[in-house]
Amino acid sequence: MKLLLLLLAFCCLSLSRCEEKNVPYDYSATIECLENPNKPQYNGGIIVNPDLQNGSQGWSQMGNTKVDFTEFGGNKFVIARGRNQSYDSVSQKVYLEKGLLYTFSAWLQVSQGNSPVRAVFKKNGEYKHAGSVIAESKCWSMLKGGLTVDESGPADLYFESEDTTAEIWVDSVSLQPFTQKEWNSHHKQSINITRKGAVRIRAVNSAGEPVPNATISIVQNRLGFPFGCSAGSNILGNQAFQDWFTKRFTVTAFENEMKWYSTEVVRGKEDYSTADAMVRLFKQHGIAIRGHHIILDDPKYQLSWVTALNGPDLYKAVKRRVDSVVSRYKGQLASWDVVNENLHFSFFENKMGPKASYNVFEQAHAVDPTTTMFMNEFNTLEQPGDGVSSPAKYLQKLRELQSIRAPGNIPLGIGLESHFFSTPNIPYMRSALDTLGATGLPIWLTEVDVAAPPNVQANYFEQVLREGHAHPKVTGMVTWSGYNPKGCFRMCLTDGNFRNLPTGDVVDKLLREWGGLRGKTTGLTDADGYFEASLFHGDYDLSIAHPLTNSTASHSFKLTSDDYHPSPTVVRIGLIWEAYLHPAVEGITHTDKDFNDTETGDVIDKLLKAWTKKLQRRDVSLLHRHYDVNVINKSSTIYKELVYGPHSYT
């Protein structure tokens, strides 16, 4: 008996929660200012009277302020008036437990203009910042954040704003605790939906009868989720480093080699030789490259000749830099970090005016219109107390960039450096991603590392990577930890002999979980000839064999998350393959599984010629070819030839 037919069914995997009692996580966030606030998430969680329907119950004043419980348009809320100190506001006592992860949200408004408002938990004389938002007058803004505590005990929740002339209005407050087990279950649920799909394979013989106990082997060749590491020039000519790196990663960013201070040390004398060599190396290995960066706004890292320029001379130098680096690598990079760390620093704005970064984005887009242009900033995820780069501040700058009137919309991306210090605030990280994810723009963690004592560094690093990978709005991650003989930035993954350090072991552990490092899935078909597996998105090789007949067949496919549709579609190409295929499987023509009547024309002729040529070369990779083939009449000669002949392939 020969294996002449394979059936693959691809569909998104839908798994129920492990335990019904687990509280599911609400990834939603609202970034528009609304006339009325939404209802509190999780019905308020442990907050008493979260929607202020019961007046002052559970609430009191913080500091020397007048607190009014009022109603407008059927909506009840509380107002803190007559504020003299930043912390003068409304407060509620809560009990926080060590080991729990808290997600917080509230809807806020100010009486005039717009002002940043923070949510703070005061506990044992310490102040835990849970998040902030730029509150506006005449509409309600959602603040979303989170926190953990080092020890259990009572705490005072309150809101603060440096603008003491503004009243703070509060409504729809929520504080939801999760156990670590629940938090992990959210990861699993999200991964099953956004990172994985189910593959269904069926083996049948020439008579269409199922073949049980056929051996199935599926090997992942490439991760679908972009995951990478920074690299420096020391990778050039270092085969051991290259072997270690290319085995693991699908994307990189150059640590310094593409930066202005590396390519034009002397004004007018550009040298891209090192960057060019690195681009060639990584392209050779199919590793995508993030363009890091066009310019940096930090005055500390400006070349002395750049610092000395002013006015038109500086403008010309910046324009020349943008044109030079972007045109050189146009169309070769996955993305550009355009004006790096533009929220914390303002070197070019101070010298060239408030629209300096605006102009650089516009110019870069004009040179390379199809590549995504990223903001790239630190502390947006890492430090809830850093108001300069809060999600709200990030969104404010992003809206400025979205207002640029350029030919075609500028494809923008959200870059989050993710340089964590000590214990990561994972609930805040998730909430910040929720808020930024509401934009619908691609989000990358671009420079992930953790500055922490060696005994906890790897654990914290793993927490951050897991949270980023599991979040449905994150589309890629790069760690800032490539080996450098002069010392890594904050952490290395390997030693000088490219043996893993504990942080490198974390990377390998996660890659294996995600199907990387050529992860292999094997099994046998059941009595009906079926084999099913849940796989991470990526590129795969599939082989099927039967020990009694020595028959084998193989196929390569790509499993992605694009264009999900629950109903599989069918392509029939000879008696060799029959495929039920998820529309997200790239390279597969979509047809009606019932083969209803339609016109075929020249397209079918092209398909038959290509199919026959492939079979003559004993190659069944025809399924990778893109043909706009619709369904055909079952009684037609073309249909019979397409399905049943020729039979020269064995």
Side-chain angles (χ1 to χ4, degrees):
M1 182 190 301
K2 296 182 179 180
L3 290 177
L4 297 177
L5 196 62
L6 279 178
L7 182 149
L8 295 82
F10 296 85
C11 60
C12 278
L13 186 65
S14 176
L15 297 177
S16 60
R17 290 186 291 115
C18 295
E19 295 184 17
E20 194 63 32
K21 66 180 182 180
N22 285 351
V23 178
Y25 183 80
D26 186 348
Y27 287 96
S28 67
T30 302
I31 57 176
E32 298 82 17
C33 199
L34 304 182
E35 181 179 358
N36 292 300
N38 290 340
K39 296 295 184 183
Q41 292 189 320
Y42 311 102
N43 294 317
I46 63 173
I47 294 294
V48 176
N49 188 21
D51 54 6
L52 284 303
Q53 292 300 304
N54 296 321
S56 63
Q57 181 186 354
W59 296 97
S60 61
Q61 71 180 49
M62 168 65 77
N64 296 314
T65 185
K66 181 182 179 183
V67 175
D68 289 339
F69 296 88
T70 188
E71 180 177 353
F72 180 78
N75 180 50
K76 295 182 179 181
F77 52 95
V78 60
I79 301 176
R81 309 180 189 273
R83 301 174 55 249
N84 297 306
Q85 303 293 332
S86 62
Y87 53 80
D88 288 344
S89 69
V90 63
S91 174
Q92 182 167 141
K93 288 189 177 295
V94 295
Y95 189 88
L96 303 178
E97 294 185 46
K98 180 181 179 180
L100 296 183
L101 300 96
Y102 291 90
T103 293
F104 177 80
S105 63
W107 287 78
L108 301 164
Q109 186 174 162
V110 291
S111 57
Q112 59 189 30
N114 59 75
S115 301
V117 179
R118 296 180 292 272
V120 183
F121 289 81
K122 181 181 178 183
K123 184 176 181 296
N124 294 335
E126 295 184 1
Y127 298 87
K128 289 270 188 179
H129 292 263
S132 65
V133 70
I134 299 175
E136 302 180 36
S137 59
K138 300 181 181 179
C139 60
W140 293 90
S141 299
M142 183 184 187
L143 181 159
K144 194 169 188 184
L147 76 157
T148 60
V149 292
D150 298 327
E151 60 180 26
S152 301
D156 292 306
L157 159 66
Y158 67 95
F159 302 89
E160 66 177 21
S161 173
E162 300 300 329
D163 183 2
T164 57
T165 66
E167 300 171 353
I168 299 177
W169 300 14
V170 181
D171 199 0
S172 294
V173 184
S174 173
L175 183 64
Q176 177 62 43
F178 294 101
T179 64
Q180 187 64 59
K181 183 177 180 181
E182 286 178 309
W183 201 262
N184 294 344
S185 76
H186 305 153
H187 287 170
K188 185 174 182 180
Q189 294 158 23
S190 178
I191 286 170
N192 284 336
I193 294 170
T194 63
R195 306 282 184 236
K196 300 180 77 173
V199 178
R200 194 179 191 211
I201 300 163
R202 193 183 194 195
V204 299
N205 62 21
S206 57
E209 300 167 337
V211 178
N213 297 317
T215 301
I216 304 294
S217 176
I218 305 173
V219 177
Q220 187 187 73
N221 291 321
R222 186 180 179 88
L223 286 174
F225 179 82
F227 181 56
C229 181
S230 62
S233 60
N234 60 301
I235 198 171
L236 296 172
N238 190 329
Q239 193 62 50
F241 191 2
Q242 293 175 23
D243 291 344
W244 181 89
F245 194 101
T246 57
K247 178 182 178 181
R248 290 163 172 80
F249 301 119
T250 60
V251 63
T252 189
F254 301 169
E255 292 167 355
N256 294 296
E257 291 72 14
M258 206 175 279
K259 295 175 180 177
W260 196 1
Y261 59 66
S262 296
T263 62
E264 195 177 359
V265 177
V266 178
R267 185 179 184 184
K269 295 183 177 180
E270 295 180 324
D271 182 0
Y272 287 99
S273 58
T274 301
D276 288 349
M278 292 178 69
V279 169
R280 287 193 297 270
L281 171 67
F282 288 112
K283 287 177 69 176
Q284 176 186 346
H285 289 281
I287 294 175
I289 303 166
R290 300 194 69 255
H292 182 75
H293 44 62
I294 298 176
I295 63 172
L296 171 64
D297 234 351
D298 188 344
K300 182 171 65 175
Y301 293 103
Q302 304 303 325
L303 290 157
S304 58
W305 67 263
V306 173
T307 304
L309 298 178
N310 289 289
D313 287 341
L314 180 59
Y315 176 82
K316 290 177 183 177
V318 171
K319 185 177 187 305
R320 184 172 183 274
R321 160 62 180 175
V322 176
D323 286 341
S324 174
V325 70
V326 178
S327 62
R328 190 177 194 88
Y329 300 114
K330 175 183 177 181
Q332 300 182 66
L333 306 182
S335 59
W336 283 107
D337 291 335
V338 182
V339 184
N340 216 52
E341 300 174 357
N342 188 212
L343 295 178
H344 281 95
F345 306 110
S346 55
F347 173 82
F348 293 100
E349 285 79 4
N350 294 341
K351 288 239 179 185
M352 300 168 60
K355 286 198 171 183
S357 59
Y358 180 108
N359 293 333
V360 174
F361 269 88
E362 185 176 25
Q363 184 185 347
H365 170 67
V367 177
D368 192 0
T370 61
T371 300
T372 304
M373 303 288 163
F374 273 72
M375 285 179 61
N376 193 42
E377 194 55 69
F378 64 91
N379 278 358
T380 306
L381 298 183
E382 303 96 294
Q383 297 289 340
D386 188 346
V388 173
S389 59
S390 67
K393 285 288 189 179
Y394 199 112
L395 290 172
Q396 190 177 55
K397 183 67 178 182
L398 198 60
R399 291 185 182 108
E400 292 178 18
L401 299 176
Q402 288 175 319
S403 71
I404 296 175
R405 296 186 179 277
N409 293 325
I410 297 180
L412 294 172
I414 295 172
L416 305 167
E417 292 185 9
S418 308
H419 294 297
F420 285 85
F421 288 88
S422 192
T423 310
N425 184 341
I426 295 297
Y428 176 77
M429 176 185 175
R430 184 183 288 186
S431 293
L433 290 170
D434 295 344
T435 299
L436 295 169
T439 63
L441 297 176
I443 297 176
W444 278 63
L445 310 191
T446 57
E447 305 178 23
V448 182
D449 61 16
V450 179
N455 62 318
V456 293
Q457 186 180 52
N459 180 41
Y460 293 163
F461 184 50
E462 181 177 346
Q463 290 178 23
V464 172
L465 292 179
R466 285 191 182 280
E467 196 63 45
H469 177 260
H471 198 283
K473 299 299 183 179
V474 173
T475 52
M477 297 191 299
V478 177
T479 72
W480 209 252
S481 49
Y483 175 74
N484 191 313
K486 297 179 181 179
C488 301
F489 181 60
R490 284 183 180 151
M491 52 174 266
C492 291
L493 299 180
T494 72
D495 62 17
N497 294 314
F498 302 100
R499 294 174 300 207
N500 278 358
L501 298 173
T503 49
D505 287 338
V506 166
V507 167
D508 285 0
K509 172 184 176 181
L510 295 179
L511 283 173
R512 290 189 180 95
E513 284 189 21
W514 304 339
L517 299 175
R518 291 189 59 80
K520 189 174 184 179
T521 301
T522 60
L524 300 175
T525 55
D526 63 18
D528 295 317
Y530 286 106
F531 174 79
E532 298 185 11
S534 175
L535 302 177
F536 281 92
H537 300 146
D539 297 354
Y540 289 90
D541 287 336
L542 178 147
S543 63
I544 182 169
H546 199 284
L548 298 181
T549 63
N550 292 321
S551 298
T552 62
S554 61
H555 181 55
S556 297
F557 64 90
K558 180 187 290 287
L559 182 62
T560 76
S561 59
D562 299 336
D563 305 322
Y564 166 69
H565 189 282
S567 299
T569 52
V570 174
V571 173
R572 293 174 184 264
I573 300 180
L575 196 58
I576 308 301
W577 299 93
E578 176 182 326
Y580 281 178
L581 298 159
H582 186 289
V585 180
E586 294 185 4
I588 305 299
T589 304
H590 302 156
T591 68
D592 183 345
K593 70 187 293 288
D594 295 323
F595 283 84
N596 297 315
D597 291 350
T598 185
E599 295 289 329
T600 56
D602 293 338
V603 175
I604 292 297
D605 292 336
K606 291 179 181 178
L607 178 59
L608 284 169
K609 289 176 182 178
W611 177 71
T612 303
K613 184 177 180 181
K614 289 279 185 179
L615 292 182
Q616 288 172 350
R617 291 181 4 213
R618 305 175 68 86
D619 183 353
V620 292
S621 62
L622 179 61
L623 290 179
H624 282 292
R625 299 291 296 273
H626 289 267
Y627 292 103
D628 185 16
V629 182
N630 290 317
V631 290
I632 57 178
N633 190 309
K634 287 184 178 181
S635 63
S636 69
T637 301
I638 290 177
Y639 171 81
K640 293 175 181 177
E641 289 178 350
L642 193 62
V643 175
Y644 298 111
H647 296 281
S648 60
Y649 179 79
T650 57

